[in-house]
Amino acid sequence: MEKQCIMTVSDLKLKLFRQIDTLDKNKLEEIYGVLINYFNGQNDISEWGKLSDNQKSGIIDAIGELEAGKGIPNHVVLDKFRKKYSHV
């Protein structure tokens, strides 16, 4: 029979802290980004329900296009608009 280990909330927090505390700068920044995306994603779920069906469909279509490689890299778009509006 396998023994189950149940951790308290304090144990989980301490374990996470110890693991994060040993990370180098690059890994720390990476895990920070993952956590921020996770926290922001929790808030965004409630926002999704407020969108119209047309808005949801547009977002899903756009994600599909990006996944199919049909997106334009951010630096290309920024360069285009910097050139276009450089006189402003």
Side-chain angles (χ1 to χ4, degrees):
M1 184 181 251
E2 207 174 291
K3 184 178 178 183
Q4 290 185 346
C5 179
I6 299 175
M7 298 177 76
T8 66
V9 172
S10 296
D11 292 336
L12 287 170
K13 288 179 182 180
L14 183 58
K15 184 174 181 171
L16 281 171
F17 173 78
R18 287 180 176 157
Q19 289 177 328
I20 291 169
D21 194 42
T22 62
L23 297 175
D24 64 32
K25 183 178 187 269
N26 290 336
K27 291 290 185 183
L28 183 60
E29 289 172 346
E30 185 178 335
I31 196 70
Y32 176 77
V34 168
L35 286 172
I36 292 302
N37 286 338
Y38 173 79
F39 294 140
N40 289 339
Q42 296 299 305
N43 295 336
D44 292 344
I45 291 171
S46 64
E47 296 297 318
W48 181 257
K50 296 176 185 176
L51 298 176
S52 69
D53 289 341
N54 194 31
Q55 289 171 316
K56 290 177 186 177
S57 177
I59 291 170
I60 291 169
D61 290 345
I63 291 169
E65 288 180 11
L66 287 173
E67 289 174 347
K70 297 179 181 177
I72 301 171
N74 184 52
H75 68 89
V76 172
V77 174
L78 290 176
D79 288 345
K80 175 184 174 183
F81 284 99
R82 283 188 182 120
K83 288 175 186 172
K84 184 174 182 176
Y85 296 107
S86 64
H87 64 284
V88 176

